[in-house]
């Protein structure tokens, strides 16, 4: 036990203030804390296993300059990807780009950064001194000491992430990774070409210029260069944000565009009329004008597939208001989502005025946070009586013994896709029941799916810990029928 504590303390002290602590602080701007913990833990155990069991074998087989240049490339790559990102896009793709490979990315970066570092040399020294009989104790003590020191870096990064303004941690990550990258590259070049060789400076200048050019391109591409239609006139969206420039609440509609054609335009137009009528306002444009404006927006942005958001706000009197058309740069469910289904959870919340498609930013923020924290696709809302209503941004259907059931129309936003599904099921002879759906009834369904402009008919794989059948015959039949109608 004494040997274990002695080695652990020595490794902990050796790691304090090391570059990998700063690196882990920077990584919290890119990855979730649990992925950093897992990736770092695996790298720590692998590195110390190499150090204790193989001694200096790795260092003798791989030239140090190669290790340094690879590490420099990794650092500069992370620096470049720390800036110029689009926040909304990052949120939409977090499961695709960050969750899928996060542990591997953290492991590889940490492993390369620590390979041949003083902490590994410490482990090699203890392994040589204590012999193979104590190899396990040395490995465990070095791993615990190294990980304990690095967890401090992770905790600092996590604290900064929650307490600092948006973009601060990305900026800090850019600075840290850039410094590490350039310094590490210089060290590697000095080893390869010799310290004081003028070619070292030449190579550094070339790399820095290329790095600046790449970062500049990323920053430029991250800016939104799309166009928005405001009261019939095309404007640049830069500096224009309807979410900030208009009131807290506004009427809106989202229409999917496939190959330049709005999907179900008549139904969306009727829902706009209904939403405005419920606040005592008439709609002041025709469906044909709506479609013409959509085409004008698509042509201005040179796109043919996306979601278009229509915002009505700034009410100054009867039929006196502003109308905005803007692209959403929509992302859609993947083929895997349709094949294997999505993850959801129940969440108690009540949407006021469910029949009006009106922005409720507080509810959206709360549900988005849950979706982000629990790696979900959607949350299913439960009212104060314990009944299912709808999703945070979709409608919900359940299937039991081949019968489809969903919440009553009085309790939910009457989604265009929802109504189409009901109509198509009735035509196909599939029984649909609109009724009150207690949570315990939903929990015993055979299958379930969400519906909406972007997801269409999307199977639910699980609700919390409850597993559902994504290959239910009725579910798959509805998916096929809807796709044929849509395309």
């Amino acid at each position: 036990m004494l040997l274990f504590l002695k080695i652990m303390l020595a490794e902990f002290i050796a790691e304090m203030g090391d570059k990998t602590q700063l690196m882990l602080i920077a990584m919290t701007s890119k990855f979730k804390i649990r992925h950093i913990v897992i990736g770092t833990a695996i790298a720590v155990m692998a590195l110390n296993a190499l150090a204790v069991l193989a001694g200096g074998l790795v260092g003798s087989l791989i030239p140090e300059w190669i290790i340094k240049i690879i590490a420099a490339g990794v650092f500069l790559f992370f620096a470049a990807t720390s800036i110029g990102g689009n926040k909304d896009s990052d949120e939409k793709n977090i499961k695709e780009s960050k969750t899928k490979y996060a542990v591997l990315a953290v492991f590889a970066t940490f492993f390369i950064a620590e390979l041949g570092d003083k902490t590994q040399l410490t482990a090699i020294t203890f392994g040589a001194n204590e012999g193979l009989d104590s190899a396990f104790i040395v490995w465990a003590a070095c791993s615990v000491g190294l990980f304990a020191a690095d967890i401090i870096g992770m905790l600092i990064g996590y604290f900064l992430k929650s307490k600092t303004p948006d973009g601060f941690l990305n900026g800090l990550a850019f600075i840290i990774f850039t410094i590490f990258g350039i310094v590490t590259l210089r060290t590697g070049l000095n080893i390869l070409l010799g310290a004081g060789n003028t070619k070292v400076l030449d190579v550094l200048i070339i790399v820095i210029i290329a790095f600046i050019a790449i970062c500049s391109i990323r920053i430029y591409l991250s800016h939104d260069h799309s166009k928005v239609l405001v009261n019939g006139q095309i404007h640049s969206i830069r500096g224009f944000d309807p979410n900030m420039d208009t009131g807290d609440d506004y009427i809106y509609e989202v229409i999917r565009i496939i190959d330049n054609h709005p999907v179900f335009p008549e139904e969306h137009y009727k829902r706009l009329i209904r939403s405005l009528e419920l606040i005592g306002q008439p709609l002041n444009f025709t469906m044909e004008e709506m479609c013409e404006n959509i085409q004008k927006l698509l042509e201005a942005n040179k796109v043919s597939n996306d979601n278009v958001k229509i915002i009505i706000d700034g009410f100054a009197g009867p039929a006196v208001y502003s109308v905005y058309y803007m692209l959403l740069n929509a992302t859609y469910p993947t083929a895997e989502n349709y094949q294997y289904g999505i993850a959801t959870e129940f969440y108690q919340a009540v949407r006021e005025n469910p029949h009006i498609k009106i922005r409720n930013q507080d509810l959206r923020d709360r549900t988005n946070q849950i979706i982000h924290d629990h790696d979900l696709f959607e949350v299913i809302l439960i009212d104060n009586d314990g009944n299912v209503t709808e999703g945070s941004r979709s409608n919900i259907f359940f299937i039991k013994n081949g019968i489809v059931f969903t919440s009553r129309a009085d309790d939910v936003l009457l989604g265009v896709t929802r109504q189409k599904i009901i109509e198509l099921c009735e035509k196909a002879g599939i029984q649909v029941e609109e009724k009150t759906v207690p949570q315990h009834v939903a929990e015993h369904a055979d299958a379930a799916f969400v519906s909406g402009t972007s997801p269409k008919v999307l199977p639910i794989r699980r609700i919390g810990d409850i597993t559902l059948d994504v290959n239910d015959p009725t579910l798959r039949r509805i998916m096929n029928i809807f796709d044929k109608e849509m395309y």
Side-chain angles (χ1 to χ4, degrees), residues 169-218:
L169 203 54
N170 279 341
L172 180 62
F174 173 76
I175 294 171
I176 291 173
F177 281 127
T178 299
I179 293 173
F180 283 174
I182 293 173
V183 171
T184 305
L185 178 61
R186 181 173 179 271
T187 302
L189 292 173
N190 281 333
I191 295 171
L192 174 63
L193 302 175
N197 192 319
T198 57
K199 291 183 178 179
V200 171
L201 181 59
D202 294 339
V203 173
L204 278 175
I205 291 174
I206 292 171
V207 171
I208 290 171
I209 292 173
F211 177 69
I212 292 172
I214 291 171
C215 292
S216 299
I217 292 171
R218 280 188 55 83

Side-chain angles (χ1 to χ4, degrees), residues 370-429:
I370 294 169
I371 289 169
H372 177 275
D373 291 345
H374 297 272
D375 285 335
L376 306 175
F377 187 93
E378 176 65 298
V379 294
I380 301 174
L381 304 183
I382 304 295
D383 66 18
N384 295 330
D385 296 322
N387 299 318
V388 174
T389 54
E390 56 194 333
S392 68
R393 47 195 166 191
S394 64
N395 290 118
I396 308 292
F397 289 81
F398 301 92
I399 302 172
K400 184 70 175 181
N401 298 326
I403 299 175
V404 179
F405 59 98
T406 187
S407 301
R408 298 182 311 126
D410 290 344
D411 300 328
V412 301
L413 177 67
L414 300 178
V416 169
T417 305
R418 173 188 185 274
Q419 189 56 40
K420 272 292 177 183
I421 290 170
I422 293 173
E423 292 174 4
L424 292 171
C425 284
E426 291 174 348
K427 289 180 181 178

Side-chain angles (χ1 to χ4, degrees), residues 399 401-404 430 471-479:
I399 302 172
N401 298 326
I403 299 175
V404 179
I430 301 173
N471 292 311
D472 179 89
T474 302
L475 168 58
R476 289 293 162 177
R477 186 182 174 197
I478 294 171
M479 292 174 67

Side-chain angles (χ1 to χ4, degrees), residues 45-304:
M45 291 187 288
L47 282 163
N48 284 315
L50 282 174
V52 174
L53 299 178
L57 186 60
V58 172
S60 63
L61 290 178
I62 304 176
E64 186 180 359
W65 68 268
I66 292 180
I67 295 174
K68 295 298 184 184
I69 289 177
I70 292 174
V74 172
F75 290 143
L76 292 177
F77 171 79
F78 276 125
T81 56
S82 295
I83 61 169
N86 181 283
K87 183 180 178 181
D88 292 336
S89 177
D90 288 344
E91 289 298 320
K92 291 175 182 177
N93 293 308
I94 193 166
K95 297 182 184 65
E96 296 298 320
S97 62
K98 294 187 177 181
T99 304
K100 195 172 183 180
Y101 304 109
V103 172
L104 179 61
V106 173
F107 165 79
T109 306
F110 188 94
F111 187 92
I112 292 172
E114 279 289 320
L115 197 60
D117 197 62
K118 63 180 181 292
T119 48
Q120 195 177 34
L121 295 176
T122 302
I124 291 172
T125 301
F126 277 116
N129 289 339
E130 303 301 331
L132 289 177
D133 292 340
S134 301
F136 179 78
I137 295 176
V138 175
W139 170 77
C142 287
S143 297
V144 172
L146 180 58
F147 186 76
D150 287 322
I151 200 72
I152 294 175
M154 287 182 279
L155 292 175
I156 292 173
Y158 187 74
F159 174 80
L160 290 174
K161 190 175 183 179
S162 62
K163 300 296 183 181
T164 55
D166 289 341
F168 173 82
L169 203 54
N170 279 341
L172 180 62
F174 173 76
I175 294 171
I176 291 173
F177 281 127
T178 299
I179 293 173
F180 283 174
I182 293 173
V183 171
T184 305
L185 178 61
R186 181 173 179 271
T187 302
L189 292 173
N190 281 333
I191 295 171
L192 174 63
L193 302 175
N197 192 319
T198 57
K199 291 183 178 179
V200 171
L201 181 59
D202 294 339
V203 173
L204 278 175
I205 291 174
I206 292 171
V207 171
I208 290 171
I209 292 173
F211 177 69
I212 292 172
I214 291 171
C215 292
S216 299
I217 292 171
R218 280 188 55 83
I219 292 172
Y220 174 80
L221 293 177
S222 70
H223 290 157
D224 193 346
H225 300 282
S226 61
K227 307 293 184 180
V228 60
L229 193 72
V230 182
N231 297 326
Q233 300 297 317
I234 292 291
H235 298 273
S236 171
I237 201 169
R238 295 190 64 180
F240 171 82
D241 182 0
N243 293 339
M244 297 173 60
D245 295 344
T246 62
D248 291 335
D249 300 310
Y250 52 66
I251 303 298
Y252 72 99
E253 192 70 24
V254 176
I255 303 177
R256 184 162 181 174
I257 311 299
I258 298 178
D259 296 332
N260 284 310
H261 297 292
V263 178
F264 310 138
E266 184 176 354
E267 289 81 356
H268 283 288
Y269 182 77
K270 289 179 178 178
R271 187 165 65 172
L272 268 176
I273 293 175
R274 185 167 59 248
S275 293
L276 286 169
E277 284 179 345
L278 290 172
I279 63 170
Q281 284 282 349
L283 190 59
N284 65 6
F285 54 85
T286 66
M287 188 181 76
E288 288 73 20
E289 290 172 331
M290 179 187 77
C291 292
E292 289 173 2
N293 282 328
I294 289 174
Q295 290 303 321
K296 187 184 295 186
L297 180 72
L298 296 175
E299 291 171 6
N301 288 282
K302 296 181 175 59
V303 300
S304 56

Side-chain angles (χ1 to χ4, degrees), residues 290-397:
M290 179 187 77
C291 292
E292 289 173 2
N293 282 328
I294 289 174
Q295 290 303 321
K296 187 184 295 186
L297 180 72
L298 296 175
E299 291 171 6
N301 288 282
K302 296 181 175 59
V303 300
S304 56
N305 294 277
D306 201 346
N307 286 359
V308 171
K309 185 174 185 179
I310 304 172
I311 298 173
I312 301 177
D313 191 43
F315 300 98
V320 180
Y321 41 74
S322 294
V323 182
Y324 309 89
Y325 291 77
M326 61 187 299
L327 298 177
L328 293 183
N329 299 314
T331 57
Y332 303 107
T334 65
E336 290 182 351
N337 292 145
Y338 287 108
Q339 182 177 358
Y340 301 112
I342 60 168
T344 66
E345 285 184 6
F346 290 120
Y347 177 66
Q348 186 169 359
V350 177
R351 189 195 304 276
E352 296 181 7
N353 301 319
H355 289 287
I356 306 176
K357 196 160 179 68
I358 190 169
R359 186 179 70 162
N360 186 333
Q361 195 60 42
D362 178 62
L363 178 61
R364 176 59 62 89
D365 289 343
R366 284 185 282 129
T367 54
N368 280 348
Q369 190 64 48
I370 294 169
I371 289 169
H372 177 275
D373 291 345
H374 297 272
D375 285 335
L376 306 175
F377 187 93
E378 176 65 298
V379 294
I380 301 174
L381 304 183
I382 304 295
D383 66 18
N384 295 330
D385 296 322
N387 299 318
V388 174
T389 54
E390 56 194 333
S392 68
R393 47 195 166 191
S394 64
N395 290 118
I396 308 292
F397 289 81

